[in-house]
Amino acid sequence: MKVIAINGEAWCHTLTGIERLAVEVVQHLDRLVAPGMMELVVPANARDVPPLTNIRTVRLRQEAHFFPRWTQIDFQRYVLTRRRLSLDFSNTCPFFAPGIEFIHDIYCALYPQDFTSRRDKLICLYSRIMYRTIARRARVILTVSEYTKQTIIDRYHTPADRIHVVYSGVTGYRDIAADFSVFDRLPRLNGRPFYFTLGSLSQRKNLKWIADHAALYPDELFAVSGKPLPSVVAPELEKLKGLPNVIMTGYLNDGEVKALLSRCRAFVLPSYFEGFGLPPLEALSCGTQIIVSNRTSLPEIYGTAAHYIDPDRPDADLEQLLAEPVSDPAPLLEKYDLAKTAARIYAIIREMQ
């Protein structure tokens, strides 16, 4: 089999769910693969690239910035000229050389109406081209839930045996130290019960539920963290900012997020669409109860360890909901482990030989 070239663009970005999966899984793969089996191909501006033993690191002269240039020109040129098999973690692939490719979800294909500006429509179009290319021509497709696997089958008629579910996880997150100094910056949260929500402030995260619920229950305090995306619904953000019981925290680093997860009354994720939904798992690893939407992949991932809400019904009584029993999350935390994700990917690669 060809040498596998891992797309290292994740090392140029802030570590959100997909990037964290890439960074941690590569380090676990390094302990499993034989020397010469894989390469990590990173842009010139990649940061914090770890020393690897069995995976050779190749740093190209080109940098990776916005949109598809790195993957479609620089990385693709490397894959084609060196006759490599690509491995991409982020819903993209070299168009002319798709190899082992992740599709975390097909959100842009299922909800194109969420993308309204010219820029967002271009992102949506590119994402849909990537989904279709991977679904039809990738040698192997990796995804993070049975729900997403089925949506790919339904949308693109991809044979089920070409799609492998390799769940995400929280292995390295447990080692992050909580930074409780965040409560000095956010004194209204200090010593008070509050609910916490985290994620990109995009439409699928359903800020409308938070805004409407907070308006209905003015005695409940909410902390909302995340980076606004161009496709966010501006009126919902403005409504949240105008509610006295909602604190928009701005960007929080990993330690600050862990501190809020450790002390919040519960973590709330009212998304109407998730391919996996990693933040509730991070919350469970902090011993925090989770309240999540009953849609898409979330019931599959969290089973009886979560409290569920209807993302179209903001009138939920959260205190009553939290009084209901849930199962011990320990089995989930053991199941969703990135070392196991890496082991599953390695097994799939071995089966290809």
Side-chain angles (χ1 to χ4, degrees):
M1 191 174 69
K2 294 178 179 178
V3 173
I4 295 169
I6 302 168
N7 188 339
E9 188 173 4
W11 279 263
C12 299
H13 302 304
T14 302
L15 291 187
T16 58
I18 291 176
E19 289 81 11
R20 193 184 301 281
L21 181 144
V23 167
E24 294 191 25
V25 165
V26 165
Q27 293 179 74
H28 287 296
L29 281 172
D30 185 53
R31 304 183 187 109
L32 299 173
V33 303
M37 186 176 178
M38 286 187 172
E39 296 173 342
L40 174 63
V41 183
V42 299
N45 58 326
R47 305 180 303 272
D48 302 321
V49 180
L52 300 171
T53 301
N54 296 314
I55 298 176
R56 185 169 78 98
T57 300
V58 179
R59 187 181 289 266
L60 301 187
R61 294 194 302 270
Q62 297 82 11
E63 295 188 354
H65 295 289
F66 174 72
F67 222 28
R69 178 184 169 88
W70 162 261
T71 295
Q72 299 307 329
I73 297 179
D74 306 317
F75 180 67
Q76 179 157 239
R77 182 190 297 121
Y78 182 89
V79 168
L80 290 171
T81 58
R82 301 299 179 92
R83 303 180 66 83
R84 302 304 196 231
L85 183 67
S86 69
L87 169 56
D88 296 80
F89 285 90
S90 60
N91 291 338
T92 60
C93 71
F95 182 81
F96 295 107
I100 304 167
E101 312 296 350
F102 262 91
I103 298 181
H104 294 263
D105 59 61
I106 56 170
Y107 173 55
C108 295
L110 298 178
Y111 293 92
Q113 67 274 17
D114 284 0
F115 299 81
T116 55
S117 72
R118 183 173 180 271
R119 176 181 180 275
D120 292 336
K121 287 178 180 178
L122 287 173
I123 292 173
C124 182
L125 175 61
Y126 175 67
S127 296
R128 292 171 71 179
I129 291 171
M130 289 290 94
Y131 301 156
R132 183 179 294 272
T133 301
I134 295 169
R136 294 189 172 179
R137 297 198 285 115
R139 185 165 173 183
V140 169
I141 301 167
L142 307 176
T143 192
V144 291
S145 64
E146 292 290 343
Y147 166 79
T148 298
K149 177 177 179 176
Q150 192 59 51
T151 62
I152 296 168
I153 293 170
D154 293 344
R155 182 79 179 192
Y156 301 106
H157 308 292
T158 308
D161 61 2
R162 287 183 53 227
I163 308 172
H164 301 266
V165 175
V166 289
Y167 290 113
S168 189
V170 293
T171 307
Y173 194 80
R174 298 165 187 153
D175 300 326
I176 295 171
D179 181 3
F180 292 104
S181 69
V182 67
F183 290 100
D184 297 329
R185 183 163 65 82
L186 303 169
R188 287 180 59 199
L189 298 178
N190 203 2
R192 294 182 60 187
F194 66 93
Y195 295 97
F196 182 37
T197 189
L198 167 73
S200 62
L201 302 181
S202 60
Q203 289 198 43
R204 68 160 120 179
K205 300 301 181 181
N206 199 11
L207 289 177
K208 185 178 186 301
W209 191 97
I210 299 291
D212 291 346
H213 180 88
L216 288 171
Y217 297 88
D219 293 333
E220 294 178 353
L221 183 62
F222 282 82
V224 178
S225 175
K227 181 180 179 181
L229 298 180
S231 57
V232 75
V233 179
E236 293 173 6
L237 269 180
E238 291 305 313
K239 181 176 181 179
L240 283 168
K241 292 175 183 177
L243 289 168
N245 57 329
V246 173
I247 298 171
M248 303 296 293
T249 69
Y251 172 77
L252 299 174
N253 63 38
D254 288 342
E256 291 171 329
V257 167
K258 194 161 188 178
L260 265 62
L261 286 175
S262 300
R263 289 189 179 176
C264 66
R265 181 77 179 86
F267 179 81
V268 183
L269 188 75
S271 304
Y272 64 79
F273 184 89
E274 292 285 349
F276 181 89
L278 185 62
L281 195 62
E282 295 170 344
L284 288 176
S285 74
C286 296
T288 301
Q289 294 198 76
I290 59 172
I291 299 170
V292 301
S293 165
N294 60 7
R295 301 281 175 85
T296 62
S297 67
L298 294 169
E300 171 194 342
I301 302 302
Y302 293 103
T304 57
H307 303 279
Y308 290 96
I309 53 173
D310 184 333
D312 296 323
R313 294 285 306 273
D315 56 344
D317 186 331
L318 299 187
E319 286 301 313
Q320 180 178 341
L321 194 64
L322 290 174
E324 297 174 1
V326 290
S327 61
D328 185 347
L332 289 186
L333 295 170
E334 181 179 353
K335 177 181 180 180
Y336 302 130
D337 181 291
L338 290 179
K340 293 182 178 178
T341 306
R344 177 67 177 135
I345 294 171
Y346 178 64
I348 292 166
I349 292 170
R350 290 294 301 271
E351 290 170 6
M352 296 168 60
Q353 295 179 326

CSV table of all heavy atoms in Angstrom, one decimal, residues 195-223:
chain,number,residue,atom,x,y,z
A,195,TYR,N,-26.0,28.0,34.1
A,195,TYR,CA,-26.0,27.0,33.1
A,195,TYR,C,-24.9,27.5,32.0
A,195,TYR,O,-24.8,28.7,31.8
A,195,TYR,CB,-27.3,26.9,32.4
A,195,TYR,CG,-28.4,26.3,33.3
A,195,TYR,CD1,-29.3,27.1,34.0
A,195,TYR,CD2,-28.5,24.9,33.5
A,195,TYR,CE1,-30.2,26.6,34.9
A,195,TYR,CE2,-29.4,24.4,34.4
A,195,TYR,CZ,-30.3,25.2,35.1
A,195,TYR,OH,-31.2,24.7,35.9
A,196,PHE,N,-24.3,26.6,31.4
A,196,PHE,CA,-23.2,26.9,30.5
A,196,PHE,C,-23.5,26.3,29.1
A,196,PHE,O,-23.9,25.1,29.0
A,196,PHE,CB,-21.9,26.4,31.1
A,196,PHE,CG,-20.7,26.8,30.2
A,196,PHE,CD1,-20.5,28.0,29.6
A,196,PHE,CD2,-19.6,25.8,30.2
A,196,PHE,CE1,-19.4,28.3,28.8
A,196,PHE,CE2,-18.5,26.1,29.4
A,196,PHE,CZ,-18.4,27.3,28.8
A,197,THR,N,-23.2,27.0,28.0
A,197,THR,CA,-23.3,26.5,26.7
A,197,THR,C,-22.1,26.9,25.9
A,197,THR,O,-21.6,28.0,26.1
A,197,THR,CB,-24.6,26.8,26.0
A,197,THR,OG1,-24.7,26.1,24.7
A,197,THR,CG2,-24.6,28.3,25.6
A,198,LEU,N,-21.6,26.1,25.1
A,198,LEU,CA,-20.3,26.3,24.4
A,198,LEU,C,-20.4,25.7,23.0
A,198,LEU,O,-21.0,24.7,22.7
A,198,LEU,CB,-19.2,25.6,25.2
A,198,LEU,CG,-17.8,25.4,24.5
A,198,LEU,CD1,-17.1,26.8,24.4
A,198,LEU,CD2,-17.0,24.4,25.2
A,199,GLY,N,-19.8,26.5,22.1
A,199,GLY,CA,-19.7,26.0,20.7
A,199,GLY,C,-19.6,27.1,19.7
A,199,GLY,O,-19.8,28.3,20.1
A,200,SER,N,-19.4,26.8,18.5
A,200,SER,CA,-19.4,27.9,17.5
A,200,SER,C,-20.8,28.5,17.5
A,200,SER,O,-21.8,27.8,17.5
A,200,SER,CB,-19.0,27.4,16.1
A,200,SER,OG,-20.0,26.4,15.7
A,201,LEU,N,-20.8,29.8,17.4
A,201,LEU,CA,-22.1,30.5,17.5
A,201,LEU,C,-22.8,30.5,16.2
A,201,LEU,O,-23.1,31.6,15.6
A,201,LEU,CB,-22.0,31.9,18.1
A,201,LEU,CG,-21.3,32.0,19.4
A,201,LEU,CD1,-21.2,33.4,19.9
A,201,LEU,CD2,-22.1,31.2,20.5
A,202,SER,N,-23.1,29.3,15.6
A,202,SER,CA,-23.7,29.2,14.3
A,202,SER,C,-25.1,28.7,14.5
A,202,SER,O,-25.6,28.4,15.6
A,202,SER,CB,-22.9,28.1,13.5
A,202,SER,OG,-22.9,26.9,14.1
A,203,GLN,N,-25.9,28.7,13.4
A,203,GLN,CA,-27.3,28.5,13.5
A,203,GLN,C,-27.6,27.1,14.1
A,203,GLN,O,-28.6,27.0,14.9
A,203,GLN,CB,-28.0,28.7,12.1
A,203,GLN,CG,-28.0,30.1,11.7
A,203,GLN,CD,-29.0,30.3,10.5
A,203,GLN,OE1,-30.1,29.8,10.6
A,203,GLN,NE2,-28.6,31.0,9.5
A,204,ARG,N,-26.9,26.1,13.7
A,204,ARG,CA,-27.2,24.8,14.2
A,204,ARG,C,-27.1,24.6,15.7
A,204,ARG,O,-27.7,23.7,16.2
A,204,ARG,CB,-26.3,23.7,13.5
A,204,ARG,CG,-24.9,23.8,13.8
A,204,ARG,CD,-24.2,22.4,13.5
A,204,ARG,NE,-23.2,22.6,12.5
A,204,ARG,CZ,-22.4,21.6,12.1
A,204,ARG,NH1,-22.7,20.4,12.5
A,204,ARG,NH2,-21.5,21.7,11.3
A,205,LYS,N,-26.3,25.5,16.3
A,205,LYS,CA,-26.2,25.4,17.8
A,205,LYS,C,-27.4,25.9,18.5
A,205,LYS,O,-27.6,25.8,19.7
A,205,LYS,CB,-25.0,26.2,18.2
A,205,LYS,CG,-23.6,25.7,17.7
A,205,LYS,CD,-23.4,24.2,18.0
A,205,LYS,CE,-22.1,23.7,17.4
A,205,LYS,NZ,-21.8,22.3,17.7
A,206,ASN,N,-28.3,26.5,17.7
A,206,ASN,CA,-29.7,26.9,18.2
A,206,ASN,C,-29.6,27.9,19.4
A,206,ASN,O,-30.2,27.6,20.5
A,206,ASN,CB,-30.4,25.6,18.6
A,206,ASN,CG,-31.9,25.8,18.7
A,206,ASN,OD1,-32.5,26.8,18.3
A,206,ASN,ND2,-32.6,24.8,19.3
A,207,LEU,N,-29.0,29.0,19.2
A,207,LEU,CA,-29.0,30.1,20.2
A,207,LEU,C,-30.4,30.5,20.5
A,207,LEU,O,-30.7,31.1,21.6
A,207,LEU,CB,-28.1,31.2,19.7
A,207,LEU,CG,-26.6,31.0,19.7
A,207,LEU,CD1,-25.9,32.3,19.1
A,207,LEU,CD2,-26.1,30.7,21.1
A,208,LYS,N,-31.3,30.4,19.5
A,208,LYS,CA,-32.6,30.8,19.7
A,208,LYS,C,-33.3,30.1,20.9
A,208,LYS,O,-34.0,30.8,21.7
A,208,LYS,CB,-33.5,30.5,18.5
A,208,LYS,CG,-34.9,31.0,18.5
A,208,LYS,CD,-35.6,30.7,17.2
A,208,LYS,CE,-37.0,31.4,17.2
A,208,LYS,NZ,-37.9,30.9,18.3
A,209,TRP,N,-33.0,28.9,21.1
A,209,TRP,CA,-33.5,28.1,22.3
A,209,TRP,C,-33.0,28.8,23.6
A,209,TRP,O,-33.8,29.0,24.5
A,209,TRP,CB,-33.1,26.7,22.3
A,209,TRP,CG,-33.8,25.8,23.3
A,209,TRP,CD1,-34.9,25.1,23.1
A,209,TRP,CD2,-33.5,25.7,24.7
A,209,TRP,NE1,-35.3,24.5,24.3
A,209,TRP,CE2,-34.4,24.8,25.3
A,209,TRP,CE3,-32.5,26.2,25.5
A,209,TRP,CZ2,-34.4,24.5,26.6
A,209,TRP,CZ3,-32.4,25.9,26.8
A,209,TRP,CH2,-33.4,25.0,27.4
A,210,ILE,N,-31.7,29.1,23.7
A,210,ILE,CA,-31.1,29.7,24.8
A,210,ILE,C,-31.8,31.1,25.1
A,210,ILE,O,-32.2,31.4,26.2
A,210,ILE,CB,-29.6,29.9,24.7
A,210,ILE,CG1,-28.9,28.5,24.5
A,210,ILE,CG2,-29.0,30.7,25.9
A,210,ILE,CD1,-28.9,27.7,25.8
A,211,ALA,N,-31.9,31.9,24.0
A,211,ALA,CA,-32.5,33.2,24.2
A,211,ALA,C,-33.9,33.2,24.6
A,211,ALA,O,-34.3,33.9,25.5
A,211,ALA,CB,-32.3,34.0,22.8
A,212,ASP,N,-34.7,32.3,24.0
A,212,ASP,CA,-36.1,32.2,24.4
A,212,ASP,C,-36.3,31.6,25.8
A,212,ASP,O,-37.1,32.1,26.5
A,212,ASP,CB,-36.8,31.3,23.3
A,212,ASP,CG,-36.9,32.0,22.0
A,212,ASP,OD1,-36.7,33.2,21.9
A,212,ASP,OD2,-37.3,31.3,21.0
A,213,HIS,N,-35.5,30.6,26.1
A,213,HIS,CA,-35.6,30.1,27.5
A,213,HIS,C,-35.2,31.1,28.5
A,213,HIS,O,-35.8,31.2,29.6
A,213,HIS,CB,-34.7,28.8,27.6
A,213,HIS,CG,-34.8,28.1,28.9
A,213,HIS,ND1,-35.7,27.2,29.2
A,213,HIS,CD2,-34.0,28.3,30.0
A,213,HIS,CE1,-35.6,26.8,30.5
A,213,HIS,NE2,-34.5,27.5,31.0
A,214,ALA,N,-34.1,31.8,28.3
A,214,ALA,CA,-33.6,32.7,29.3
A,214,ALA,C,-34.6,33.9,29.5
A,214,ALA,O,-34.8,34.4,30.6
A,214,ALA,CB,-32.3,33.3,28.8
A,215,ALA,N,-35.3,34.2,28.4
A,215,ALA,CA,-36.4,35.2,28.5
A,215,ALA,C,-37.5,34.7,29.3
A,215,ALA,O,-38.2,35.5,30.1
A,215,ALA,CB,-36.8,35.7,27.1
A,216,LEU,N,-37.8,33.4,29.2
A,216,LEU,CA,-39.0,32.8,30.0
A,216,LEU,C,-38.6,32.6,31.4
A,216,LEU,O,-39.5,32.6,32.3
A,216,LEU,CB,-39.4,31.5,29.3
A,216,LEU,CG,-40.1,31.5,28.0
A,216,LEU,CD1,-40.2,30.1,27.4
A,216,LEU,CD2,-41.4,32.2,28.1
A,217,TYR,N,-37.3,32.4,31.7
A,217,TYR,CA,-36.9,32.1,33.1
A,217,TYR,C,-35.8,33.1,33.6
A,217,TYR,O,-34.6,32.8,33.6
A,217,TYR,CB,-36.4,30.7,33.2
A,217,TYR,CG,-37.4,29.6,32.9
A,217,TYR,CD1,-37.6,29.2,31.5
A,217,TYR,CD2,-38.1,29.0,33.9
A,217,TYR,CE1,-38.5,28.2,31.2
A,217,TYR,CE2,-39.1,28.0,33.6
A,217,TYR,CZ,-39.3,27.7,32.3
A,217,TYR,OH,-40.2,26.7,32.0
A,218,PRO,N,-36.3,34.3,33.9
A,218,PRO,CA,-35.3,35.4,34.2
A,218,PRO,C,-34.5,35.1,35.5
A,218,PRO,O,-33.4,35.8,35.6
A,218,PRO,CB,-36.2,36.6,34.4
A,218,PRO,CG,-37.5,36.1,34.7
A,218,PRO,CD,-37.7,34.8,34.0
A,219,ASP,N,-34.9,34.2,36.3
A,219,ASP,CA,-34.1,33.9,37.5
A,219,ASP,C,-32.9,32.9,37.2
A,219,ASP,O,-32.1,32.7,38.1
A,219,ASP,CB,-35.0,33.3,38.6
A,219,ASP,CG,-36.0,34.4,39.1
A,219,ASP,OD1,-35.7,35.6,39.0
A,219,ASP,OD2,-37.1,34.0,39.6
A,220,GLU,N,-32.9,32.3,36.1
A,220,GLU,CA,-31.8,31.4,35.7
A,220,GLU,C,-30.7,32.2,35.0
A,220,GLU,O,-31.0,33.1,34.2
A,220,GLU,CB,-32.3,30.3,34.8
A,220,GLU,CG,-33.3,29.4,35.5
A,220,GLU,CD,-33.8,28.3,34.6
A,220,GLU,OE1,-33.5,28.3,33.3
A,220,GLU,OE2,-34.5,27.4,35.0
A,221,LEU,N,-29.5,31.9,35.3
A,221,LEU,CA,-28.3,32.6,34.8
A,221,LEU,C,-27.6,31.7,33.7
A,221,LEU,O,-27.4,30.5,34.0
A,221,LEU,CB,-27.3,32.9,35.9
A,221,LEU,CG,-26.1,33.7,35.5
A,221,LEU,CD1,-26.5,35.1,34.9
A,221,LEU,CD2,-25.2,33.9,36.7
A,222,PHE,N,-27.3,32.2,32.6
A,222,PHE,CA,-26.7,31.5,31.5
A,222,PHE,C,-25.3,32.1,31.1
A,222,PHE,O,-25.2,33.4,31.0
A,222,PHE,CB,-27.5,31.4,30.3
A,222,PHE,CG,-28.7,30.5,30.4
A,222,PHE,CD1,-29.8,30.8,31.0
A,222,PHE,CD2,-28.6,29.2,29.8
A,222,PHE,CE1,-30.9,29.9,31.1
A,222,PHE,CE2,-29.6,28.3,29.9
A,222,PHE,CZ,-30.8,28.6,30.6
A,223,ALA,N,-24.3,31.3,30.9
A,223,ALA,CA,-23.0,31.7,30.3
A,223,ALA,C,-22.9,31.1,29.0
A,223,ALA,O,-23.1,29.9,28.8
A,223,ALA,CB,-21.9,31.3,31.2
